[in-house]
Amino acid sequence: MLEKYLGFYVWQGMALMKNTALLKELPAVTKRLFLSFTAADYRFLATSNGVRMAKSFISKANMRGIRVELLIGEPTLVLPLYQNNIQSYVKVFERIPFDGVQLDCERDQLPAYQQDNWDTGIVELVKATRYQLGRFTDRVIPVGITVHHRELTFVDLQVYLHNAGYPEVIAMYYASNPETVMNITKYPNWGNVKASLAVSIESALSPEESTFQRGRIESLEQWNQLHSRLRCPIVVQSFEDYMKAEL
């Protein structure tokens, strides 16, 4: 039986690291946290104090059964001119034992004239990420990608993922109606990739896209329902919005 668990995108990763008490606010089924950092955060993580704090946070999270993964949300990294910049992000693995890397570099985040580059670019980025990780750590670090659910409609996705060594795919389907989200099972590639489903509790989105107005308890019930029906992990966008939602 597939283990039931939640993951959370954490866009203010440093704020969470500085307040480990917030780990107690997470649902008991939380098993993964994807932490994003600003340029200033990366500079701090390169210092002894930053390394010490990050290691302490990861250790406390791991003791709760939670993986702490590096979230990189920079879409230009899929473009050939910028792919080598991935090394400046994953260099933190030289001193900090994050449990994985999640690349949130979506096609729709690029200007329209550059979007055709995404297909080959995401494959090359995954390869580049793995290569750079190998320079900074001897551990095998899982690499995943976050994509819009529409990407699963393209049959060629199987070929792209094969060429990228089959990274995990987190497919975003932002709809508050669970029956709408179930439409993802109609996609030809769903179920044939190592996939998780990303849903939204963002306060800035409409009630049709996000469960924010329903609060935490009802949202958790819906995510549990989706997990049971889709047989896949659920990842929530985002931790900050979850904390703002009413019970």
Side-chain angles (χ1 to χ4, degrees), residues 79-212:
L79 303 175
L81 183 62
Y82 301 105
Q83 276 180 2
N84 286 338
N85 291 348
I86 190 65
Q87 65 180 324
S88 63
Y89 293 92
V90 300
K91 193 177 189 304
V92 296
F93 280 84
E94 193 169 32
R95 302 177 69 188
I96 299 174
F98 287 103
D99 297 306
V101 173
Q102 183 65 208
L103 301 168
D104 184 12
C105 305
E106 304 152 40
R107 187 196 301 270
D108 291 349
Q109 294 173 333
L110 294 170
Y113 72 94
Q114 293 178 327
Q115 291 183 9
D116 287 344
N117 296 317
W118 185 88
D119 301 283
T120 55
I122 194 66
V123 171
E124 294 306 314
L125 176 58
V126 171
K127 292 179 179 178
T129 302
R130 287 183 170 143
Y131 170 76
Q132 294 295 343
L133 284 168
R135 296 180 57 207
F136 299 118
T137 178
D138 294 330
R139 296 183 297 130
V140 176
I141 306 298
V143 177
I145 59 175
T146 293
V147 302
H148 192 281
H149 66 87
R150 285 195 302 268
E151 300 296 347
L152 295 177
T153 65
F154 301 116
V155 177
D156 285 347
L157 178 67
Q158 290 289 315
V159 177
Y160 300 147
L161 295 180
H162 175 75
N163 290 337
Y166 283 104
E168 176 193 17
V169 174
I170 300 180
M172 302 179 299
Y173 206 133
Y174 292 173
S176 59
N177 184 338
E179 296 304 321
T180 301
V181 180
M182 289 299 296
N183 286 330
I184 201 169
T185 60
K186 300 176 182 178
Y187 292 172
N189 290 313
W190 181 258
N192 296 324
V193 295
K194 183 182 178 183
S196 301
L197 177 72
V199 296
S200 177
I201 192 173
E202 294 167 274
S203 59
L205 296 185
S206 71
E208 288 72 32
E209 300 169 293
S210 165
T211 60
F212 181 80

